[in-house]
Amino acid sequence: MKELLSRYPVSPQATQNTHINADKYQQMYQQSIEQPDVFWAEQAEQFIDWYKPWKQVSEVNYQTADISWFKGGQLNVSYNCIDRHLASKANQTAIIFEGDEPTDDFRVSYQELHDNVCRLANLLKTRGVSKGDRVCIYMPMIPEVGYAMLACARIGAVHSVVFGGFSTESIKARVLDADCQVVITADEGVRGGKKIPLKANVDAALVDCPDVHSVIMVERTGVEVNWQDQRDVNYQEVINHYEPMCEPEMMDAEDPLFILYTSGSTGKPKGVLHTCGGYILYAAMTHKYVFDYQEGEIYWCTADAGWITGHSYIFYGPLANGATTLVFEGVPTYPDAGRCWQVCEKHQVNIFYTAPTAIRALMGLGDELVEKHDRSSIRLLGTVGEPINPEAWHWYYEVVGQSCCSIVDTWWQTETGGILITSLPGAVDMKPGAAGKPFFGVKPAIVSKEGDVLEGEARGRLVMTGSWPGQMRTVYGDHQRFFDTYFSQYTGYYFTGDGAKRDADGFYWITGRIDDVLNVSGHRLGTAEIESALVLHPKVAEAAVVGYPHEIKGQGIYCYVTLMSGVDCQQSLTEELQALVADELGRFAKPDYIQFAPGLPKTRSGKIMRRILRKIAENELENLGDTSTLADPSVVKDLIDNRIVHG
Ligand code: WTA
């Protein structure tokens, strides 16, 4: 490897063709901050087709957590993602599907996308779905997941996509919380050569969801499944009976578009609610500028539709821009770890967007698998989900990108709807490991724990001053929780939950979550959710879960478990508990380590001191900090003596 630089200046060559260059960034950013409503009104006109203009660009009150953008404006998101492109792009590819097996691929044109979405929208209507109803989508990564999302958007139904890796329990909780009465799923998913029993999981989840009257099932593998005649509908059998025309519903900008559940530091996952107008504008605009998307390019984001990245940057943003977006069913390591580069070569991918955890995993397997595929089509690389360590950044830049692609590290959250901080290609220098600078209209600030706003070079907590159109509007069914989670800590600011520093050049570096949220292979998990799963076991009295740095996954899951008195801690119990968590939450949440402990370190008021547990899990024993407030300091010695030394 060549010398590792800590800053890669924007090259003059790069600025010639990108949508934004350094001067334009400055000028547009300035305007977006000084006259936000003027700025956003212009963008909304440029990016989105409206049936009716809005009455007010924005109305934001962080004291009550009431946020609206483009209120009174009417539009339809599916129209913006499909219909308006048909005049010039009916035959252009909207979706390239690349199946789990490298021989399995096909293309979907904008016209075909239109017809498929309309048919499914009509099917939903005949099952009684109308504007405002919630529809759960539990699907593998096949084009139909996109059809399902857009069909809901077309008729004004609110989708709630549940990641295909989630368990029965998670489906059930989400269906009930949003009162979904229709579920769209597939018989099975296929990933890395393995089958995932999606329909069976749905069947099991719905035993406790009596209000679900329809399950629409796409056949992916043709496996035999249980069938309830009244409830279940076979997509392939019926879909061609429906008209490929369905008038899009006129939606208010502030009507809900979707709910997406995400983990927080306490309680059960929150239903993050996004609305039509602001969200689609923000997804489209960030997609165009952050990935510097140019007409005709092939764009590939490897995320799953079950996460916000899949929503904003596989489907909504790219399709709103009339792009060609690649939908990949498989995993980066199947049939071998060269799969991503093989797919890039085969489909001549220009823009590739993935997570640091995937980069680290592939980096460890050597350069040969990368180099044997032609990557000359790739022009821009992106990362999302967690901070990228400089070593992985350099490998991505030099080996994958052959030192000639821009890398955009993109910081954002389910709650933010789209990217808030990044190094805009052609406009902002790249610093490996730094997220970069704010996107247009975004005003980050760093505050101390106590809430003092820190200027200049600073380290503290990341908050946002003011709103942007893609911001979530509420926690579904619990507006108080929305306020409490994001606006109660620092009055007048949106609190991100992340720690960050700002360097002398104004670049933001994300230092990780400061709350009890873990980031495991880019999947967001609340420690409280894992703890709740563990204590379901009859032998478990109490559990505390912390994260520790993991070379590939970013963070691993380390659990401290106190057993009921008289219970022995055998190896089989470790396995049982790991399986229990996987069952309750999904396989990606399976704990790496379980340490049985006679007691947990608690303050005299009974609060578990996680700081200490984190240090022990990280094997950082010198730095345990103040233990004088512990009710029983002797538990710490036992925890240290019996810690699991790893890595
Ligand atoms: C983390 C994913 C550093 C962060 C889009 C955030 C990142 C959480 C980055 C949101 C990045 C995401 N650099 N950290 N580029 N991107 N994060 O809701 O802690 O699944 O708060 O959204 O991921 O995760 P979520």
Side-chain angles (χ1 to χ4, degrees):
M1 252 189 221
K2 287 189 239 112
E3 185 199 358
L4 305 186
L5 300 179
S6 57
R7 181 168 186 153
Y8 290 74
V10 167
S11 76
Q13 189 198 355
T15 55
Q16 279 169 17
N17 303 317
T18 48
H19 291 301
I20 309 288
N21 58 28
D23 290 343
K24 199 161 174 202
Y25 171 69
Q26 279 310 332
Q27 173 236 318
M28 277 174 75
Y29 184 72
Q30 212 56 36
Q31 195 213 348
S32 73
I33 295 307
E34 285 164 8
Q35 297 179 294
D37 280 7
V38 175
F39 176 86
W40 284 115
E42 275 172 19
Q43 302 303 322
E45 271 178 36
Q46 188 189 323
F47 276 88
I48 301 302
D49 284 10
W50 301 84
Y51 298 125
K52 213 175 107 188
W54 51 88
K55 295 207 173 72
Q56 178 146 21
V57 176
S58 69
E59 227 173 331
V60 176
N61 182 345
Y62 277 2
Q63 317 297 325
T64 55
D66 288 316
I67 300 160
S68 79
W69 283 87
F70 311 110
K71 203 165 189 159
Q74 288 196 330
L75 77 162
N76 181 281
V77 167
S78 129
Y79 177 88
N80 274 278
C81 290
I82 309 172
D83 305 48
R84 63 172 174 158
H85 307 313
L86 292 178
S88 59
K89 293 184 173 167
N91 297 321
Q92 188 205 290
T93 302
I95 294 174
I96 300 177
F97 173 66
E98 170 75 16
D100 193 48
E101 291 299 330
T103 48
D104 188 8
D105 65 10
F106 58 82
R107 288 170 176 250
V108 181
S109 69
Y110 269 96
Q111 184 67 53
E112 289 164 333
L113 178 64
H114 171 270
D115 296 357
N116 288 323
V117 168
C118 286
R119 287 197 163 101
L120 182 50
N122 285 327
L123 163 56
L124 287 171
K125 278 187 180 173
T126 61
R127 299 300 290 200
V129 180
S130 61
K131 185 171 171 175
D133 292 348
R134 277 81 51 214
V135 173
C136 172
I137 300 176
Y138 181 67
M139 295 273 271
M141 281 298 290
I142 55 179
E144 286 82 356
V145 68
Y147 306 164
M149 292 161 72
L150 290 162
C152 289
R154 196 162 190 94
I155 61 174
V158 182
H159 60 71
S160 162
V161 183
V162 175
F163 172 52
F166 274 127
S167 65
T168 296
E169 285 302 317
S170 309
I171 307 169
K172 182 172 102 185
R174 286 158 174 76
V175 164
L176 291 174
D177 186 80
D179 188 21
C180 297
Q181 303 194 357
V182 174
V183 179
I184 307 178
T185 188
D187 50 358
E188 286 185 309
V190 190
R191 288 187 85 221
K194 297 196 191 85
K195 309 257 167 74
I196 302 133
L198 300 177
K199 173 69 161 58
N201 289 350
V202 168
D203 287 340
L206 296 189
V207 169
D208 298 316
C209 305
D211 291 341
V212 174
H213 55 69
S214 299
V215 174
I216 299 169
M217 185 198 81
V218 177
E219 267 186 44
R220 172 64 186 96
T221 63
V223 70
E224 202 164 316
V225 292
N226 284 327
W227 204 252
Q228 292 190 20
D229 279 336
Q230 294 300 310
R231 188 193 72 181
D232 296 350
V233 182
N234 182 307
Y235 173 85
Q236 275 92 343
E237 273 175 18
V238 303
I239 200 67
N240 284 326
H241 304 156
Y242 293 93
E243 286 296 313
M245 286 290 280
C246 171
E247 223 20 69
E249 188 78 32
M250 286 202 201
M251 304 294 286
D252 190 276
E254 282 300 338
D255 280 335
L257 177 63
F258 65 84
I259 301 167
L260 185 58
Y261 286 83
T262 194
S263 298
S265 48
T266 54
K268 55 185 176 101
K270 297 181 280 285
V272 168
L273 185 115
H274 283 286
T275 56
C276 296
Y279 172 81
I280 194 64
L281 166 62
Y282 201 74
M285 186 177 165
T286 47
H287 173 259
K288 175 167 172 176
Y289 291 142
V290 175
F291 301 104
D292 188 45
Y293 186 80
Q294 307 279 347
E295 281 289 309
E297 285 193 313
I298 313 289
Y299 163 90
W300 179 19
C301 164
T302 67
D304 191 282
W307 309 115
I308 190 69
T309 309
H311 283 59
S312 303
Y313 299 118
I314 296 179
F315 294 110
Y316 285 120
L319 295 175
N321 290 332
T324 298
T325 185
L326 195 147
V327 170
F328 177 46
E329 185 181 34
V331 296
T333 47
Y334 180 83
D336 66 38
R339 185 67 189 276
C340 289
W341 327 120
Q342 178 251 328
V343 172
C344 286
E345 176 175 8
K346 173 170 157 191
H347 297 294
Q348 292 292 291
V349 170
N350 305 111
I351 299 164
F352 178 75
Y353 186 33
T354 196
T357 181
I359 299 168
R360 286 192 298 267
L362 298 178
M363 177 169 80
L365 300 169
D367 300 355
E368 207 176 292
L369 284 162
V370 186
E371 282 160 358
K372 80 180 210 203
H373 298 286
D374 176 46
R375 281 127 34 243
S376 56
S377 61
I378 306 177
R379 158 178 103 69
L380 191 133
L381 298 166
T383 74
V384 58
E386 55 176 312
I388 180 162
N389 47 314
E391 195 195 352
W393 193 98
H394 281 102
W395 184 81
Y396 202 33
Y397 184 74
E398 280 160 20
V399 179
V400 176
Q402 301 172 88
S403 304
C404 62
C405 300
S406 296
I407 295 190
V408 287
D409 183 347
T410 62
W411 177 86
W412 59 296
Q413 309 176 296
T414 306
E415 294 88 337
T416 70
I419 294 159
L420 293 196
I421 299 180
T422 190
S423 49
L424 274 189
V428 178
D429 292 355
M430 299 182 287
K431 290 192 184 190
K437 298 207 171 178
F439 189 74
F440 305 122
V442 172
K443 288 189 286 177
I446 299 211
V447 296
S448 67
K449 192 173 176 201
E450 294 71 33
D452 299 320
V453 177
L454 309 174
E455 303 293 340
E457 258 181 275
R459 196 186 181 97
R461 300 174 168 203
L462 183 64
V463 298
M464 296 292 153
T465 314
S467 181
W468 61 98
Q471 186 171 28
M472 73 182 281
R473 300 296 195 264
T474 193
V475 171
Y476 185 76
D478 196 349
H479 196 69
Q480 186 62 40
R481 191 166 176 207
F482 180 48
F483 175 81
D484 292 346
T485 311
Y486 304 103
F487 304 99
S488 66
Q489 297 83 352
Y490 303 109
T491 306
Y493 296 94
Y494 164 78
F495 175 49
T496 65
D498 277 333
K501 67 175 192 194
R502 185 174 46 225
D503 69 16
D505 304 315
F507 282 70
Y508 288 84
W509 301 68
I510 307 299
T511 52
R513 301 286 306 192
I514 57 116
D515 54 10
D516 294 318
V517 172
L518 305 183
N519 195 328
V520 179
S521 301
H523 297 335
R524 192 167 150 178
L525 274 169
T527 51
E529 288 170 76
I530 306 170
E531 289 161 6
S532 308
L534 289 167
V535 298
L536 289 175
H537 196 285
K539 291 184 180 163
V540 172
E542 195 173 30
V545 173
V546 297
Y548 66 92
H550 186 287
E551 210 177 316
I552 305 280
K553 298 198 285 188
Q555 274 188 307
I557 303 172
Y558 194 111
C559 311
Y560 297 87
V561 168
T562 314
L563 297 174
M564 297 290 186
S565 57
V567 174
D568 279 344
C569 47
Q570 300 131 339
Q571 177 60 25
S572 64
L573 189 52
T574 299
E575 282 153 25
E576 263 176 55
L577 292 176
Q578 286 172 321
L580 175 63
V581 176
D583 270 358
E584 284 294 310
L585 298 172
R587 278 219 316 250
F588 64 95
K590 186 173 154 197
D592 295 274
Y593 298 108
I594 293 182
Q595 176 177 348
F596 295 104
L600 297 174
K602 290 187 186 166
T603 60
R604 282 178 205 106
S605 60
K607 201 166 169 280
I608 294 178
M609 292 184 74
R610 290 168 181 282
R611 177 174 49 82
I612 295 177
L613 294 176
R614 249 179 248 130
K615 294 279 181 204
I616 296 174
E618 288 168 12
N619 207 16
E620 284 215 12
L621 307 176
E622 299 80 47
N623 249 328
L624 285 187
D626 182 14
T627 53
S628 62
T629 53
L630 281 175
D632 175 8
S634 73
V635 298
V636 173
K637 182 171 180 325
D638 178 88
L639 289 171
I640 292 175
D641 291 347
N642 293 303
R643 74 187 185 279
I644 302 169
V645 180
H646 49 80

